[in-house]
Structures are given as structure tokens and as C-alpha cells.
Amino acid sequence: AVSTPRGSSFEDARMTLEEVEAALSKGTVIFSAIGAHVPKLARATLACTDASALPNALNMYVTAAGKRTSAPPHTDRQDVIVAQTQGRKHWRVYSPPDPTLRPQADALM
């Protein structure tokens, strides 16, 4: 399972170490826009913005060691660059679905 955001502000969503550890026992914990909260990560986010001349956000996904699956297969609605910093994972990357096969379907759902 993937963590579910709570609250309507960054302050509401803040997790304690104990909450993070408990959530990790269930699956992946997502820290959305973490570059807005951790200065060293903010620098990386701003560098990507400067290099691409496009808005960027840095999300961090943490999965406990030994978890076989961190998230179900899905399609992201935005371009994604992955930087895995620890452990190992088998990544499967697919081409976007062919929109002509189901013209009424949202290809990103």
C-alpha cells in the first residue's frame, strides 16, 4: 500500500518518526514536494528548474527493505526522472498506451 496524505496543509501532513516507521511496515511512504521542506533537496529542485526552464517538484518515495512491490503498475501524468539512492529495485518502464485503441479513455488513468 502507498501512504495517503492527510490534512490540508504541510503542517497537517507532517509525520513523526514513529508514524513513518509504522507506515513503512505497510508499504511505501510518499513525501510530496519534499524540496520545499529540506534545504539540501531544495537546491536540487531549483537546479532542475534552472536547467529545464520548467517548473519542477521533488517527491521522495521510501519503501522498507524487503518489500517486493512498492506501488502497483501505473502511468504518471507528468515526466519523471528517477534517482534511486539506496538498495535495489527492478524497474519496469513501458511506452504510453496507444490512444487509438480506446479513443474515449484517459490514457493517464
Side-chain angles (χ1 to χ4, degrees):
V2 176
S3 62
T4 303
R6 66 176 182 215
S8 59
S9 71
F10 288 123
E11 192 61 37
D12 291 343
R14 181 172 288 171
M15 296 174 76
T16 66
L17 178 58
E18 293 78 19
E19 290 171 321
V20 171
E21 289 170 342
L24 281 173
S25 70
K26 298 175 188 169
T28 297
V29 179
I30 301 170
F31 298 92
S32 296
I34 194 160
H37 306 284
V38 179
K40 288 184 179 183
L41 297 177
R43 286 193 284 274
T45 304
L46 292 172
C48 288
T49 299
D50 289 344
S52 67
L54 296 168
N56 283 270
L58 177 64
N59 299 331
M60 182 170 72
Y61 299 79
V62 180
T63 304
K67 290 286 182 188
R68 186 156 173 82
T69 303
S70 61
H74 63 282
T75 301
D76 291 306
R77 290 182 172 272
Q78 67 280 341
D79 293 330
V80 175
I81 298 172
V82 175
Q84 184 167 331
T85 61
Q86 290 187 341
R88 60 187 174 150
K89 180 177 182 173
H90 181 93
W91 290 87
R92 292 187 181 130
V93 179
Y94 301 94
S95 297
D98 183 348
T100 62
L101 296 178
R102 292 182 57 207
Q104 311 307 29
D106 181 346
L108 300 176
M109 290 299 281

